[in-house]
Amino acid sequence: MRVVTTVTALALLARASAYSPEGRGGRRAFLSAAARSTAAAVSVSLPRRALADDGELEQVYFGAGCFWHVQHEFILAERNILNRKDSELTSLTGYAGGTQADKGKVCYHNFNSIADYGKMGHGEVVGMSIPTSKVGDFAKEYFALFNERGERADPMDRGGEYRSLLGLPGGRSHPMFSEVEAAASRKDMTLEDGKGNDGDTLGKRMVYVYDSNKFPFYQAEFYHQYHNDFLTPAYGKAYNDLANSAFDDGRIKITGCPDKV
């Protein structure tokens, strides 16, 4: 049975403080979920499990505010676009877009101030392994996360940690970048080159573009994977339990951030 230290529970509570205690799920449910979780993060290759007809796979990432909601939407995209089974899902929460890492680690805010992703200039993202030919389809799913004003779903979360960003191998040089531009244009949003440690995009109708070879993905802690979101009803036990199976078969790594068990 996995357990979590008091520090992890406090870190999760700190995240919850931005939301109303009467919000969906409530703090009791939130802390109950925390007690079933553990933590860690480093730069790792995303899982490459996929169906035989997926074609050549590559690692990409997308971010738009809190990564819990974003992960859920890309899990749906993997199922709907790629027909992936639960054991083949690759979308994981993580961090990217910063200019630093601590011996390969990037971690969520913690009371020991170890490899804090915010202090290192990273934003919350969801990384996944998808066919090159499907990058445009996933870009459409990404821009569908923004409302008609080009704003993310959780404007109450503010700061560079919650900026809108995406990462592709080669950045603008990616062979499918024109399809990403088209998806942004349909939402009347602009794409700007990310330089690392960039600020918030709130109110700007823009998304930072990173070369993921230069700004890699760092997997987030176990307790941030397949997590319920505060903006919607709970996703359900079947969804939450996907974290356990992904951990058991190695798709989720325990990699050394505070609260590792």
Side-chain angles (χ1 to χ4, degrees):
M1 178 179 181
R2 298 189 185 93
V3 297
V4 65
T5 65
T6 301
V7 176
T8 301
L10 291 173
L12 285 165
L13 183 58
R15 184 183 185 93
S17 64
Y19 301 87
S20 166
E22 288 74 32
R24 295 191 182 275
R27 294 199 181 194
R28 178 176 298 176
F30 183 80
L31 290 175
S32 177
R36 294 192 299 270
S37 305
T38 185
V42 297
S43 179
V44 295
S45 295
L46 287 161
R48 289 185 175 271
R49 294 178 175 230
L51 299 179
D53 60 356
D54 266 0
E56 183 178 353
L57 301 177
E58 62 183 16
Q59 298 175 14
V60 302
Y61 56 77
F62 299 93
C66 175
F67 47 23
W68 294 339
H69 166 68
V70 178
Q71 183 183 29
H72 179 262
E73 297 307 301
F74 279 111
I75 288 296
L76 295 180
E78 286 194 75
R79 288 170 170 166
N80 295 333
I81 296 172
L82 302 178
N83 296 313
R84 286 179 174 170
K85 302 174 183 177
D86 288 351
S87 62
E88 299 167 328
L89 298 171
T90 65
S91 293
L92 297 175
T93 58
Y95 316 105
T99 56
Q100 303 177 58
D102 182 357
K103 298 178 181 179
K105 290 189 297 186
V106 176
C107 307
Y108 192 70
H109 305 307
N110 59 87
F111 290 105
N112 295 322
S113 296
I114 297 174
D116 187 301
Y117 82 107
K119 294 178 181 178
M120 292 181 172
H122 293 275
E124 296 190 11
V125 299
V126 172
M128 64 210 69
S129 184
I130 62 174
T132 301
S133 62
K134 298 297 184 180
V135 166
D137 292 323
F138 277 75
K140 292 176 185 177
E141 295 295 322
Y142 173 63
F143 283 100
L145 298 175
F146 299 90
N147 65 21
E148 66 280 359
R149 298 184 303 279
E151 295 295 359
R152 57 186 182 250
D154 56 346
M156 72 288 289
D157 285 330
R158 301 192 177 196
E161 297 99 317
Y162 303 105
R163 65 189 182 270
S164 301
L165 71 160
L166 62 88
L168 305 170
R172 288 180 179 271
S173 299
H174 189 276
M176 304 298 289
F177 188 71
S178 62
E179 294 194 20
V180 177
E181 286 183 307
S185 179
R186 283 190 288 270
K187 218 55 181 277
D188 195 24
M189 297 180 70
T190 60
L191 301 172
E192 301 288 341
D193 290 332
K195 297 178 173 58
N197 197 20
D198 299 291
D200 202 351
T201 54
L202 191 65
K204 299 180 179 179
R205 297 191 76 102
M206 58 89 71
V207 173
Y208 288 112
V209 177
Y210 295 91
D211 180 347
S212 58
N213 295 323
K214 298 178 180 178
F215 297 93
F217 172 82
Y218 294 84
Q219 184 205 293
E221 295 84 343
F222 176 86
Y223 67 88
H224 279 310
Q225 307 297 338
Y226 298 96
H227 201 294
N228 291 330
D229 186 70
F230 278 98
L231 301 175
T232 63
Y235 297 133
K237 185 176 184 299
Y239 176 80
N240 302 144
D241 285 348
L242 291 173
N244 292 326
S245 58
F247 176 81
D248 291 340
D249 67 20
R251 283 174 290 145
I252 294 176
K253 310 295 183 183
I254 294 297
T255 51
C257 280
D259 310 316
K260 174 183 176 182
V261 297

